[in-house]
Amino acid sequence: MSIKIYHNPRCSKSRQTLQLLKEHQVEPEIFEYLKTPPSREELEQVLDMLGLEPRELMRTKEKEYKELGLDNPDLSRDQLIDAMLKTPKLIERPIVIKDGKAAIGRPPEKVLEIL
């Protein structure tokens, strides 16, 4: 049973989610996605597991979102995924993955649904 967390140690929700997992005796494999962004294939798998479109996984309040014109409704799925790969700060966090299921830790307790 492998559990992964896409983690940003500077994010309070990400830290809270990691702590919650540890309180439930779960030691996840930690991916600091800002240092090592996911591959296109990994990001597409995460989107599929979450049942989300790329824009729904984006941090739309980040200044880069507006600066890069990502609020343009004409952008394709591939263009939005490309933007997240180039600017991983735009990816919502934290994301926990277990056995082909994923959950976003907002609120942190939401990840308990897949454990």
Side-chain angles (χ1 to χ4, degrees), residues 54-72:
R55 195 179 311 276
E56 296 172 295
L57 188 60
M58 296 178 97
R59 298 178 57 82
T60 58
K61 294 195 181 359
E62 293 292 340
K63 67 177 184 168
E64 291 85 351
Y65 183 81
K66 291 276 193 256
E67 287 174 355
L68 296 171
L70 298 173
D71 53 349
N72 179 346

mmCIF file of all heavy atoms in Angstrom, residues 54-72:
data_model
loop_
_atom_site.group_PDB
_atom_site.id
_atom_site.type_symbol
_atom_site.label_atom_id
_atom_site.label_comp_id
_atom_site.label_asym_id
_atom_site.label_seq_id
_atom_site.Cartn_x
_atom_site.Cartn_y
_atom_site.Cartn_z
ATOM 1 N N PRO A 54 -8.383 20.484 -15.821
ATOM 2 C CA PRO A 54 -7.185 21.202 -15.364
ATOM 3 C C PRO A 54 -7.472 22.496 -14.608
ATOM 4 O O PRO A 54 -6.888 22.736 -13.542
ATOM 5 C CB PRO A 54 -6.409 21.467 -16.658
ATOM 6 C CG PRO A 54 -6.808 20.361 -17.555
ATOM 7 C CD PRO A 54 -8.251 20.090 -17.227
ATOM 8 N N ARG A 55 -8.373 23.315 -15.102
ATOM 9 C CA ARG A 55 -8.638 24.597 -14.441
ATOM 10 C C ARG A 55 -9.139 24.394 -13.009
ATOM 11 O O ARG A 55 -8.883 25.207 -12.124
ATOM 12 C CB ARG A 55 -9.629 25.416 -15.252
ATOM 13 C CG ARG A 55 -9.676 26.875 -14.842
ATOM 14 C CD ARG A 55 -10.641 27.693 -15.675
ATOM 15 N NE ARG A 55 -10.534 27.535 -17.107
ATOM 16 C CZ ARG A 55 -9.679 28.187 -17.896
ATOM 17 N NH1 ARG A 55 -8.840 29.039 -17.380
ATOM 18 N NH2 ARG A 55 -9.677 27.984 -19.197
ATOM 19 N N GLU A 56 -9.848 23.285 -12.771
ATOM 20 C CA GLU A 56 -10.385 23.001 -11.440
ATOM 21 C C GLU A 56 -9.280 22.618 -10.448
ATOM 22 O O GLU A 56 -9.514 22.630 -9.241
ATOM 23 C CB GLU A 56 -11.413 21.877 -11.511
ATOM 24 C CG GLU A 56 -12.642 22.231 -12.331
ATOM 25 C CD GLU A 56 -13.546 21.040 -12.547
ATOM 26 O OE1 GLU A 56 -13.127 20.077 -13.224
ATOM 27 O OE2 GLU A 56 -14.676 21.078 -12.015
ATOM 28 N N LEU A 57 -8.107 22.281 -10.943
ATOM 29 C CA LEU A 57 -6.977 21.918 -10.094
ATOM 30 C C LEU A 57 -5.975 23.075 -9.986
ATOM 31 O O LEU A 57 -4.934 22.950 -9.386
ATOM 32 C CB LEU A 57 -6.280 20.664 -10.644
ATOM 33 C CG LEU A 57 -5.198 20.029 -9.767
ATOM 34 C CD1 LEU A 57 -5.771 19.592 -8.424
ATOM 35 C CD2 LEU A 57 -4.549 18.863 -10.472
ATOM 36 N N MET A 58 -6.338 24.204 -10.555
ATOM 37 C CA MET A 58 -5.422 25.349 -10.564
ATOM 38 C C MET A 58 -5.747 26.327 -9.438
ATOM 39 O O MET A 58 -6.905 26.531 -9.101
ATOM 40 C CB MET A 58 -5.485 26.073 -11.907
ATOM 41 C CG MET A 58 -5.009 25.231 -13.051
ATOM 42 S SD MET A 58 -5.135 26.096 -14.624
ATOM 43 C CE MET A 58 -3.467 26.676 -14.763
ATOM 44 N N ARG A 59 -4.689 26.924 -8.933
ATOM 45 C CA ARG A 59 -4.809 27.970 -7.920
ATOM 46 C C ARG A 59 -5.050 29.289 -8.663
ATOM 47 O O ARG A 59 -4.114 29.980 -9.024
ATOM 48 C CB ARG A 59 -3.554 28.009 -7.056
ATOM 49 C CG ARG A 59 -3.357 26.690 -6.292
ATOM 50 C CD ARG A 59 -2.098 26.686 -5.471
ATOM 51 N NE ARG A 59 -2.052 27.781 -4.525
ATOM 52 C CZ ARG A 59 -2.652 27.802 -3.334
ATOM 53 N NH1 ARG A 59 -3.351 26.759 -2.939
ATOM 54 N NH2 ARG A 59 -2.549 28.849 -2.541
ATOM 55 N N THR A 60 -6.315 29.581 -8.881
ATOM 56 C CA THR A 60 -6.684 30.705 -9.735
ATOM 57 C C THR A 60 -6.416 32.068 -9.093
ATOM 58 O O THR A 60 -6.465 33.085 -9.775
ATOM 59 C CB THR A 60 -8.173 30.622 -10.128
ATOM 60 O OG1 THR A 60 -8.962 30.604 -8.928
ATOM 61 C CG2 THR A 60 -8.441 29.366 -10.949
ATOM 62 N N LYS A 61 -6.110 32.083 -7.808
ATOM 63 C CA LYS A 61 -5.830 33.361 -7.146
ATOM 64 C C LYS A 61 -4.339 33.720 -7.171
ATOM 65 O O LYS A 61 -3.961 34.812 -6.756
ATOM 66 C CB LYS A 61 -6.349 33.333 -5.714
ATOM 67 C CG LYS A 61 -7.870 33.240 -5.675
ATOM 68 C CD LYS A 61 -8.428 33.568 -4.337
ATOM 69 C CE LYS A 61 -9.903 33.482 -4.180
ATOM 70 N NZ LYS A 61 -10.756 33.141 -5.218
ATOM 71 N N GLU A 62 -3.500 32.808 -7.664
ATOM 72 C CA GLU A 62 -2.067 33.109 -7.789
ATOM 73 C C GLU A 62 -1.882 34.177 -8.861
ATOM 74 O O GLU A 62 -2.566 34.157 -9.890
ATOM 75 C CB GLU A 62 -1.280 31.850 -8.168
ATOM 76 C CG GLU A 62 -1.238 30.776 -7.104
ATOM 77 C CD GLU A 62 -0.432 31.150 -5.870
ATOM 78 O OE1 GLU A 62 0.409 32.067 -5.929
ATOM 79 O OE2 GLU A 62 -0.660 30.510 -4.830
ATOM 80 N N LYS A 63 -0.943 35.078 -8.639
ATOM 81 C CA LYS A 63 -0.735 36.164 -9.608
ATOM 82 C C LYS A 63 -0.324 35.619 -10.971
ATOM 83 O O LYS A 63 -0.683 36.181 -11.997
ATOM 84 C CB LYS A 63 0.290 37.175 -9.096
ATOM 85 C CG LYS A 63 1.686 36.658 -8.982
ATOM 86 C CD LYS A 63 2.658 37.726 -8.537
ATOM 87 C CE LYS A 63 4.044 37.119 -8.545
ATOM 88 N NZ LYS A 63 5.109 38.018 -8.419
ATOM 89 N N GLU A 64 0.386 34.494 -10.999
ATOM 90 C CA GLU A 64 0.809 33.895 -12.263
ATOM 91 C C GLU A 64 -0.383 33.474 -13.119
ATOM 92 O O GLU A 64 -0.300 33.475 -14.341
ATOM 93 C CB GLU A 64 1.720 32.686 -12.020
ATOM 94 C CG GLU A 64 3.070 33.025 -11.456
ATOM 95 C CD GLU A 64 3.111 33.150 -9.942
ATOM 96 O OE1 GLU A 64 2.040 33.148 -9.295
ATOM 97 O OE2 GLU A 64 4.217 33.271 -9.398
ATOM 98 N N TYR A 65 -1.475 33.105 -12.466
ATOM 99 C CA TYR A 65 -2.679 32.691 -13.199
ATOM 100 C C TYR A 65 -3.161 33.836 -14.095
ATOM 101 O O TYR A 65 -3.418 33.640 -15.280
ATOM 102 C CB TYR A 65 -3.758 32.263 -12.207
ATOM 103 C CG TYR A 65 -5.015 31.739 -12.861
ATOM 104 C CD1 TYR A 65 -5.085 30.423 -13.317
ATOM 105 C CD2 TYR A 65 -6.143 32.544 -13.017
ATOM 106 C CE1 TYR A 65 -6.243 29.934 -13.910
ATOM 107 C CE2 TYR A 65 -7.293 32.066 -13.606
ATOM 108 C CZ TYR A 65 -7.339 30.761 -14.052
ATOM 109 O OH TYR A 65 -8.485 30.275 -14.643
ATOM 110 N N LYS A 66 -3.256 35.023 -13.521
ATOM 111 C CA LYS A 66 -3.699 36.189 -14.293
ATOM 112 C C LYS A 66 -2.616 36.647 -15.264
ATOM 113 O O LYS A 66 -2.894 36.947 -16.423
ATOM 114 C CB LYS A 66 -4.056 37.339 -13.347
ATOM 115 C CG LYS A 66 -5.291 37.084 -12.521
ATOM 116 C CD LYS A 66 -6.553 37.439 -13.263
ATOM 117 C CE LYS A 66 -7.746 37.494 -12.361
ATOM 118 N NZ LYS A 66 -8.635 36.396 -12.427
ATOM 119 N N GLU A 67 -1.354 36.699 -14.781
ATOM 120 C CA GLU A 67 -0.245 37.178 -15.611
ATOM 121 C C GLU A 67 -0.088 36.349 -16.882
ATOM 122 O O GLU A 67 0.253 36.875 -17.938
ATOM 123 C CB GLU A 67 1.064 37.149 -14.823
ATOM 124 C CG GLU A 67 1.160 38.231 -13.766
ATOM 125 C CD GLU A 67 2.404 38.101 -12.905
ATOM 126 O OE1 GLU A 67 3.171 37.124 -13.053
ATOM 127 O OE2 GLU A 67 2.607 38.989 -12.061
ATOM 128 N N LEU A 68 -0.321 35.031 -16.758
ATOM 129 C CA LEU A 68 -0.163 34.144 -17.912
ATOM 130 C C LEU A 68 -1.436 34.061 -18.762
ATOM 131 O O LEU A 68 -1.483 33.317 -19.741
ATOM 132 C CB LEU A 68 0.249 32.745 -17.437
ATOM 133 C CG LEU A 68 1.617 32.657 -16.750
ATOM 134 C CD1 LEU A 68 1.823 31.277 -16.121
ATOM 135 C CD2 LEU A 68 2.736 32.960 -17.747
ATOM 136 N N GLY A 69 -2.468 34.795 -18.379
ATOM 137 C CA GLY A 69 -3.710 34.797 -19.154
ATOM 138 C C GLY A 69 -4.466 33.489 -19.072
ATOM 139 O O GLY A 69 -5.219 33.136 -19.982
ATOM 140 N N LEU A 70 -4.300 32.757 -17.971
ATOM 141 C CA LEU A 70 -4.921 31.435 -17.855
ATOM 142 C C LEU A 70 -6.419 31.498 -17.581
ATOM 143 O O LEU A 70 -7.096 30.473 -17.613
ATOM 144 C CB LEU A 70 -4.204 30.619 -16.786
ATOM 145 C CG LEU A 70 -2.727 30.360 -17.097
ATOM 146 C CD1 LEU A 70 -2.036 29.699 -15.922
ATOM 147 C CD2 LEU A 70 -2.574 29.525 -18.356
ATOM 148 N N ASP A 71 -6.925 32.697 -17.358
ATOM 149 C CA ASP A 71 -8.370 32.847 -17.183
ATOM 150 C C ASP A 71 -9.098 32.899 -18.527
ATOM 151 O O ASP A 71 -10.322 32.959 -18.578
ATOM 152 C CB ASP A 71 -8.685 34.082 -16.344
ATOM 153 C CG ASP A 71 -8.036 35.351 -16.870
ATOM 154 O OD1 ASP A 71 -7.163 35.272 -17.763
ATOM 155 O OD2 ASP A 71 -8.390 36.441 -16.383
ATOM 156 N N ASN A 72 -8.343 32.813 -19.612
ATOM 157 C CA ASN A 72 -8.921 32.803 -20.960
ATOM 158 C C ASN A 72 -9.701 31.498 -21.163
ATOM 159 O O ASN A 72 -9.126 30.415 -21.152
ATOM 160 C CB ASN A 72 -7.792 32.924 -21.992
ATOM 161 C CG ASN A 72 -8.304 32.887 -23.417
ATOM 162 O OD1 ASN A 72 -9.442 32.531 -23.692
ATOM 163 N ND2 ASN A 72 -7.430 33.254 -24.346
#
